[in-house]
Amino acid sequence: GHPFVVVDISAERIVELRARGYLCVLGDASEDRVLKEAGVDRAVALVTVMPDDAKNVFITLTVRQLGCDLTIIARAEQPSTPKKLRQAGADHVVMPAGIGAHRIVSLITNPKAVEFAELVTKRSSLDIEMDEVPLLAGNPLVDRTLRVANVGHRTGVIVVAIKRVDGSVEFPPEGDALLGLGDSIVILGRRENLETFRQTFTP
């Protein structure tokens, strides 16, 4: 549901993608001209998923040097690469091999938890979603406890965790936990319940 542009150096892949109706730019994503042609200055996020870690680092550096204010998500293969990517300006680093390894272990040690996670992330027929809501100035939840706010009864969502402004996470949160300005809460529920929450607490 989000518009996106694919940048690829392969003319053959570009032809295939355009035939499927995708917006594409042919060229090297590490070049300023190509990134500008793709509209990087107007983008909300950039995802660099080259199989070569050095190229992902270089693309990240290039985007930051252009002065673009966007979220950068980068792929990494080697354990030493995430630190370099973050130094280059990446906001998030994803290691597919590491995620795969954790998933394999989880399927062995806690398969039911994996099934539930898939139920949520794949948006099955239950239509369950998870969202993180920052508590900004004017939010009625600021300076109230979860018990007093009565979020679950009023909206039908479950508050799964509280991410404090100092970076700490309270999981599961206590009913008497006081919500502060700059904190975020992680909520879980059906799509219609999440919409009720937004209308009630983030008008």
Side-chain angles (χ1 to χ4, degrees), residues 135-190:
L135 303 183
L136 307 177
N139 189 299
L141 292 175
V142 174
D143 295 329
R144 301 180 73 185
T145 65
L146 289 176
R147 196 184 311 281
V148 170
N150 204 11
V151 173
H153 180 73
R154 295 175 65 184
T155 67
V157 305
I158 301 169
V159 178
V160 179
I162 301 173
K163 294 177 65 176
R164 296 297 185 184
V165 68
D166 63 3
S168 62
V169 177
E170 295 180 15
F171 173 81
E174 297 288 340
D176 293 326
L178 187 66
L179 301 171
L181 183 65
D183 291 342
S184 295
I185 59 172
V186 180
I187 57 176
L188 176 71
R190 295 178 182 270

Side-chain angles (χ1 to χ4, degrees), residues 77-98:
E77 292 297 326
Q78 300 302 317
S80 60
T81 305
K83 181 179 179 181
K84 297 173 184 176
L85 280 164
R86 290 192 177 91
Q87 289 174 337
D91 298 287
H92 305 283
V93 179
V94 177
M95 296 187 68

Side-chain angles (χ1 to χ4, degrees), residues 66-123:
L66 288 173
C68 300
D69 183 20
L70 44 62
T71 299
I72 297 179
I73 303 168
R75 170 184 173 178
E77 292 297 326
Q78 300 302 317
S80 60
T81 305
K83 181 179 179 181
K84 297 173 184 176
L85 280 164
R86 290 192 177 91
Q87 289 174 337
D91 298 287
H92 305 283
V93 179
V94 177
M95 296 187 68
I99 292 172
H102 283 296
R103 178 176 172 78
I104 290 169
V105 172
S106 296
L107 283 167
I108 295 171
T109 60
N110 202 350
K112 293 299 182 183
V114 175
E115 288 177 11
F116 180 74
E118 288 180 346
L119 189 69
V120 174
T121 57
K122 289 184 178 179
R123 299 182 183 185

Side-chain angles (χ1 to χ4, degrees), residues 27-61:
D28 187 341
S30 63
E31 295 181 3
D32 295 11
R33 175 189 59 79
V34 175
L35 288 170
K36 289 177 180 177
E37 184 180 347
V40 70
D41 56 324
R42 304 186 303 277
V44 173
L46 177 134
V47 181
T48 174
V49 289
M50 302 291 288
D52 185 327
D53 284 3
K55 289 182 179 179
N56 288 324
V57 171
F58 191 76
I59 291 170
T60 300
L61 277 170

